[in-house]
Amino acid sequence: MTIEMLHTKACPHAAEYLPRLLRLVAEAGSSEPLRVRLIADPDQAQRERFLGSPSIRVNGRDVDPTAEYRREYGLSCRLYSAQGGLRGTPPDEWVLEALRRHAAQGDC
């Protein structure tokens, strides 16, 4: 299983979120390393289909259930629409669900 956090250099949410993401990975029972990747320019953002910072992916798939329908790629901060409004990081449930789904499929 591949677990990634993609981010931009100036993203205030990425550094704050990293310890929480590591706890979620451990909570899901995964021993896979977390790959942290910097998205540095607009061309890379387009190639990576980067929806904003931070983006969390499990096996190349964004944890946001609506991500596959979106095409707003670029170097921007990302807002997640979750219960209670907009926020700068994905809900824990999305991350845990993605990790557990892939673990159940034997991807790790």
Side-chain angles (χ1 to χ4, degrees):
M1 176 171 16
T2 303
I3 306 165
E4 299 176 298
M5 180 176 79
L6 289 74
H7 68 97
T8 59
K9 186 176 181 179
C11 178
H13 300 290
E16 294 172 11
Y17 186 64
L18 184 56
R20 181 165 195 78
L21 180 57
L22 289 168
R23 284 193 299 274
L24 292 172
V25 170
E27 183 180 324
S30 177
S31 59
E32 294 297 320
L34 173 66
R35 296 179 186 172
V36 179
R37 297 181 43 218
L38 177 66
I39 304 298
D41 62 60
D43 290 335
Q44 183 184 15
Q46 288 293 319
R47 283 192 311 276
E48 295 284 345
R49 299 181 330 266
F50 182 64
L51 294 171
S53 183
S55 288
I56 312 305
R57 295 181 181 171
V58 177
N59 284 356
R61 187 173 185 171
D62 198 290
V63 299
D64 181 343
T66 67
E68 66 184 272
Y69 305 107
R70 298 179 52 207
R71 303 289 181 266
E72 311 88 31
Y73 310 131
L75 298 176
S76 63
C77 288
R78 185 163 178 181
L79 291 176
Y80 291 87
S81 180
Q83 190 175 36
L86 296 175
R87 51 192 276 185
T89 58
D92 292 354
E93 300 81 34
W94 291 0
V95 175
L96 291 169
E97 171 60 29
L99 292 167
R100 291 178 181 142
R101 179 177 54 245
H102 287 288
Q105 294 171 355
D107 292 343
C108 58

